[in-house]
Amino acid sequence: MFAAESHTSRHFIAIVTMACLCVLLGGPSYAAGAESLIIAGATYYEPGVSGLGWAWTDADHLELNGYAGEAIGADGDLVLTLAGQNSVTESHAPNADITLCGMEVWGSLTLRGTGALTATGSQCGIHVSQALVVDGCTVDARADGADVTDEVVAGVIAGDMAVRGGGRVVAAGAGSGAGVRTYGVYLQDAGLGDGEGAAGCRLSVDASWLDATGADGGVACTGGSLVSTRFVTPDGGAFGAGGVVDAAGTVATHVVVEPDVATPPAGETDRGEVTGDSAEKSPTDANPAAGEPATGPSANPAPKPAAAPTKTTTTVTKTTVAKTAKPKAATATTAALPKTGDNNWIVASFTFFLLGTTLLAAAYRC
């Protein structure tokens, strides 16, 4: 009797242990990433596909090299590596899931690499429901407000935004429709939190360039930080309650952020021209952030004397953009470099495998 019960207990322990190991070892297959990808007018549900100028290598990684075509969309987090000049344009197909943006990601998006991306659309050039990171690459995002009414129009619409690693961003929003408000960069709560102090709506620029223009504000956010950078425009700029303001506290319609040294940080070089309609740029846009051709570090304008940027955190009542083409349940996410979760899972899986083997051996000895 006792022997039978002991034998049954050993089998029970073995079954439970193996079940746990299967779940844990299967973890990497459920790692965060895009559940689907829309590109070049088609929808894909599994990585390992490619086309002219693009390759979806795994769930959370897309590569562009000379891609020029219709809008790109991702249902989930995505890391996009850029090589060469690339462009995405709002799709006008009647059955397209992306109708108002050049790029739309329902999750977090990291743009990296040595290449450039131009994104254009009616409501926004780039829309990211959570965090957008521009790491070392060149981005030109523009929205013209065509046929848009009672909405926010912006070059970039996101929850948070970080520009680092010598990244260069130009963002512009325009439009004359009824009830349209235009921004260069518009950071919204997008369900990341409730009430004051909620996550999201923050801008971070670290030793990089940003040029943002919109009639209602160059940058709309509730707070931000500058690291090794400074406001060139507006003069005496600072983060206000709802965006960047000038020395008088007035919201700035044109915001330019540049590194606080005459040359880029060590290891950074000029990354080339940001393509786009130069007719929309004012003379003050003739700087690296505005995407004009540069001949080298010496082409950057000499730093102007300016008060050291004060890092502040402020809050206001959030305004949500009515961008509801594909509702998603969002979770709080911080701007981060490409995920390394798979590597961590490998180590964890191996550890749990050894633990499971030990438990099995102990169970059979009982």
Side-chain angles (χ1 to χ4, degrees):
M1 179 70 175
F2 176 78
E5 290 179 353
S6 176
H7 181 73
T8 302
S9 298
R10 288 199 300 269
H11 275 279
F12 178 76
I13 294 173
I15 291 171
V16 171
T17 302
M18 293 307 296
C20 292
L21 285 173
C22 289
V23 171
L24 291 168
L25 292 173
S29 63
Y30 298 99
E35 297 177 7
S36 62
L37 179 74
I38 302 172
I39 187 169
T43 302
Y44 302 89
Y45 297 95
E46 295 290 341
V49 292
S50 61
L52 184 60
W54 65 274
W56 188 21
T57 57
D58 55 58
D60 65 351
H61 188 209
L62 174 66
E63 297 177 355
L64 295 185
N65 188 349
Y67 176 82
E70 292 186 6
I72 295 177
D75 187 0
D77 297 342
L78 186 67
V79 175
L80 177 54
T81 300
L82 301 170
Q85 295 288 331
N86 303 274
S87 63
V88 289
T89 306
E90 171 185 339
S91 174
H92 294 284
N95 60 345
D97 289 337
I98 308 174
T99 57
L100 298 173
C101 302
M103 173 164 281
E104 186 169 331
V105 174
W106 290 92
S108 292
L109 172 65
T110 296
L111 299 172
R112 68 181 187 183
T114 59
L117 174 68
T118 298
T120 56
S122 296
Q123 186 177 358
C124 53
I126 298 175
H127 178 272
V128 181
S129 67
Q130 296 182 28
L132 170 64
V133 175
V134 177
D135 189 3
C137 55
T138 299
V139 176
D140 188 319
R142 298 174 185 268
D144 58 17
D147 300 321
V148 177
T149 58
D150 298 316
E151 299 282 2
V152 163
V153 172
V156 171
I157 296 177
D160 285 301
M161 180 174 176
V163 187
R164 61 194 184 201
R168 300 168 183 260
V169 176
V170 175
S176 57
V180 168
R181 291 164 293 150
T182 62
Y183 300 88
V185 173
Y186 187 87
L187 305 181
Q188 59 177 348
D189 182 11
L192 298 180
D194 297 315
E196 293 192 5
C201 311
R202 292 184 57 80
L203 171 69
S204 172
V205 183
D206 185 350
S208 300
W209 288 261
L210 171 65
D211 189 315
T213 307
D216 292 279
V219 174
C221 64
T222 60
S225 67
L226 300 178
V227 180
S228 300
T229 57
R230 61 191 175 88
F231 286 117
V232 175
T233 303
D235 187 25
F239 288 103
V244 176
V245 297
D246 60 20
T250 304
V251 173
T253 59
H254 186 198
V255 175
V256 178
V257 178
E258 290 186 352
D260 59 4
V261 292
T263 58
E268 296 295 337
T269 58
D270 180 42
R271 297 186 183 274
E273 177 181 2
V274 180
T275 58
D277 184 4
S278 59
E280 296 179 7
K281 303 176 184 176
S282 66
T284 56
D285 286 334
N287 57 60
E292 298 299 330
T295 58
S298 61
N300 294 338
K304 300 177 183 177
T310 302
K311 300 179 183 178
T312 60
T313 301
T314 53
T315 58
V316 294
T317 303
K318 311 292 188 306
T319 301
T320 302
V321 177
K323 187 77 174 69
T324 58
K326 185 189 293 185
K328 292 285 290 183
T331 56
T333 305
T334 57
L337 285 172
K339 295 179 285 299
T340 58
D342 287 350
N343 292 332
N344 293 334
W345 266 111
I346 293 172
V347 175
S349 297
F350 182 71
T351 302
F352 280 112
F353 176 76
L354 293 177
L355 177 61
T357 303
T358 303
L359 290 174
L360 285 172
Y364 278 103
R365 283 199 299 270
C366 294

